[in-house]
Amino acid sequence: MSAPDASPFTHSHQFNHVDAKAERNTRQVVFITAAMMVVEITGGYWLNSMALLADGWHMSSHALAMGLSVMAYVLARRYAKDGRFAFGTWKIEILGGFSSALLLAVVAALMMVQSLERLFVPAVIHYDDAILIAVLGLGVNLLCAWLLKGEHHHGHGHDHPHGHDYGHGHGHDGHRHHDVNLRAAYLHVVADAATSVLAIVALLGGKLYGAAWLDPVMGIAGSILVARWAVGLLRESGRILLDAEMDQPVVMEIRDVVKEYFPTAAISDLHVWRVGRNSYACILALVASTAIDAGEVRRQLAIHEELVHVTVEVARA
């Protein structure tokens, strides 16, 4: 049996990447959202608009959630060189996204309860002022979405020098991952924009057609929409936190490398998990009927640049 052969990859910036622009834009969005939150909550209570009030409380939770996103960036940067984090601090950002998703779910539940209550106990709504505030809120949300757009889904692609497509077509489109923490902030802003649109529709319907019931109904619709986004984000961030990555394309690529270059070896153990936005660690154990150099196995795997930390162990059959 050969001794475990660790890869030469070190704990580099690939493990500790913190997007300064994303952090700066998220911080700006927190301040803007907090200011608009005060306006909408005050206006909702003063004008008796459930749709406007729901949008304001919704926005308040988002200000808190995006504050968590900023905190995650700050902590990830502060502890980037802390040796206690074996693979860097990237998962602090994922934890921030998961926490934001939980808050999003709580907001959806509160919106549903408040809207159902107002559906059965209606109140007089001051439509003109409420519509003005709702339109202002939508404008603020669109501004915040613009600040965060494009940053939450950027990725990378790369070609492999050996000319093998491994069934995935050179470009590695399947390996593109976005900033989950930033996506959480972006989804909060989009959810705010959606509830603002619903609030405007409800208020216009009540003003023009006397359909006061639209106000709480739109609040219910908004809560369902927000709940769906929360569930999706919980699934994505939870998957990463639990290292549920064994169905990623890179796993099949590792198997293909072993099959093509080391036909006398069989994989006895394989563990792959993500340690960065587009970076994976791998532990590979082989059982071979002929002598195989673990270093050569690592060199062949190195064509997949998303594998930033590889440990190989080879045992004779």
Side-chain angles (χ1 to χ4, degrees), residues 254-270 283-292 297 312-317:
I254 293 170
R255 296 183 183 277
D256 288 343
V257 167
V258 173
K259 181 178 180 180
E260 179 173 358
Y261 293 101
F262 308 98
T264 62
I267 296 176
S268 60
D269 198 17
L270 175 62
I283 296 176
L284 173 65
L286 300 176
V287 176
S289 58
T290 61
I292 292 178
V297 177
V312 176
E313 182 178 288
V314 181
R316 290 294 294 270

Side-chain angles (χ1 to χ4, degrees), residues 22-240:
E23 180 182 346
R24 182 178 64 252
N25 287 351
T26 304
R27 186 182 294 111
Q28 291 174 346
V29 168
V30 170
F31 292 139
I32 295 172
T33 301
M36 192 62 222
M37 165 201 77
V38 174
V39 173
E40 286 201 322
I41 291 177
T42 303
Y45 277 117
W46 187 262
L47 304 171
N48 290 324
S49 170
M50 188 59 231
L52 190 59
L53 186 60
D55 192 27
W57 280 116
H58 182 211
M59 188 172 283
S60 71
S61 69
H62 289 184
L64 176 60
M66 286 183 285
L68 286 175
S69 295
V70 172
M71 185 184 302
Y73 285 125
V74 171
L75 290 175
R77 186 178 64 251
R78 177 176 298 176
Y79 294 107
K81 296 182 180 180
D82 192 322
R84 293 175 298 175
F85 295 90
F87 292 103
T89 57
W90 175 70
K91 282 191 177 179
I92 291 179
E93 298 178 30
I94 305 302
L95 187 58
F98 185 83
S99 301
S100 293
L102 289 176
L103 281 174
L104 203 61
V106 171
V107 168
L110 290 176
M111 287 176 62
M112 176 66 75
V113 171
Q114 290 179 332
S115 298
L116 286 173
E117 180 181 356
R118 188 56 61 88
L119 183 63
F120 295 104
V121 186
V124 177
I125 301 172
H126 302 279
Y127 288 108
D128 291 336
D129 294 331
I131 290 172
L132 179 62
I133 294 175
V135 171
L136 178 61
L138 177 60
V140 167
N141 290 325
L142 293 177
L143 172 62
C144 292
W146 178 80
L147 285 172
L148 298 176
K149 76 177 180 70
E151 298 296 323
H152 74 291
H153 58 208
H154 60 278
H156 84 294
H158 57 269
D159 295 335
H160 296 310
H162 287 212
H164 301 285
D165 61 9
Y166 295 103
H168 302 290
H170 292 284
H172 270 224
D173 291 337
H175 291 196
R176 295 182 181 179
H177 300 290
H178 45 245
D179 183 334
V180 175
N181 188 48
L182 187 61
R183 179 172 179 253
Y186 182 80
L187 280 182
H188 278 282
V189 170
V190 172
D192 274 333
T195 53
S196 292
V197 171
L198 292 177
I200 292 170
V201 171
L203 292 168
L204 285 174
K207 173 180 170 61
L208 299 177
Y209 304 106
W213 55 269
L214 272 176
D215 188 74
V217 166
M218 286 302 183
I220 293 171
S223 69
I224 294 173
L225 182 63
V226 172
R228 291 189 61 185
W229 284 332
V231 170
L233 188 55
L234 282 171
R235 284 176 178 171
E236 180 178 9
S237 55
R239 171 189 175 92
I240 296 172

Side-chain angles (χ1 to χ4, degrees), residues 10-18 72 75-94 241 273-277 279 281 308-309:
T10 59
H11 304 296
S12 68
H13 67 281
Q14 296 191 59
F15 295 144
N16 297 309
H17 174 72
V18 177
L75 290 175
R77 186 178 64 251
R78 177 176 298 176
Y79 294 107
K81 296 182 180 180
D82 192 322
R84 293 175 298 175
F85 295 90
F87 292 103
T89 57
W90 175 70
K91 282 191 177 179
I92 291 179
E93 298 178 30
I94 305 302
L241 290 173
W273 66 100
R274 211 187 311 179
V275 294
R277 197 173 303 163
S279 306
V308 296
H309 187 97

